[in-house]
Amino acid sequence: MKISGNSFCPCGSQKKYKNCCRKFHFGEEPQNALELMKSRYSAFASTVSEYIMKTTHRENPDFTHDTQSWKKSIHDFFDHSEFRKLEILDFIDGEDLAYVTFKANIFQGAIDVSFIEKSKFLKVNNLWLYHSGEFIE
Ligand SMILES: [Zn+2]
């Protein structure tokens, strides 16, 4: 779903999207892994697949140079999912390795497909990238 600049940012900051994650979606670089995590969630919620692809580490299993099919699979997920809320549970910062544990509240129709994930982020050439994640029961 597309969101307007005046809507609340999907990341849960209570700020308007135009004053929050949108700047990252349009080229500004997150200063830490937590900002990256939140802006990636917002990108999922507001259908900015380019940003998801750009901030994924090449070692991630989803990474492919076939951006057309990757984009399609991201959109398939977007189109059937409603991103209701992001809750940050833990943030372990580091020089070039960081972890964020979060709960993503996501519904597909009436079905709750929410999950808790511990995500690993790596800093490569001064840019934070999403490396991988493990689900936490
Ligand atoms: Zn935001």
Side-chain angles (χ1 to χ4, degrees), residues 8-16 20-21 38:
F8 280 119
C9 190
C11 78
S13 62
Q14 305 291 328
K15 289 191 256 182
K16 289 179 176 176
C20 191
C21 294
K38 289 181 172 183

Side-chain angles (χ1 to χ4, degrees), residues 26-114:
F26 288 90
E28 210 171 291
E29 287 156 11
Q31 293 307 299
N32 60 46
L34 185 58
E35 281 187 349
L36 175 60
M37 167 61 227
K38 289 181 172 183
S39 59
R40 279 175 56 92
Y41 179 86
S42 296
F44 273 113
S46 55
T47 326
V48 190
S49 51
E50 290 78 10
Y51 187 72
I52 299 296
M53 297 191 284
K54 187 183 115 179
T55 57
T56 299
H57 194 283
R58 54 176 57 236
E59 284 170 12
N60 185 279
D62 289 340
F63 186 92
T64 166
H65 290 287
D66 182 359
T67 50
Q68 281 308 105
S69 69
W70 190 3
K71 190 171 177 172
K72 189 182 173 304
S73 70
I74 293 172
H75 275 269
D76 286 346
F77 181 61
F78 284 142
D79 294 346
H80 299 102
S81 305
E82 184 193 333
F83 293 77
R84 292 198 182 169
K85 196 167 130 202
L86 174 67
E87 296 169 69
I88 302 296
L89 306 176
D90 194 25
F91 174 40
I92 305 168
D93 202 5
E95 223 11 65
D96 45 29
L97 167 66
Y99 294 93
V100 179
T101 305
F102 64 92
K103 180 172 185 192
N105 291 278
I106 301 172
F107 279 74
Q108 294 183 332
I111 303 163
D112 184 352
V113 294
S114 301

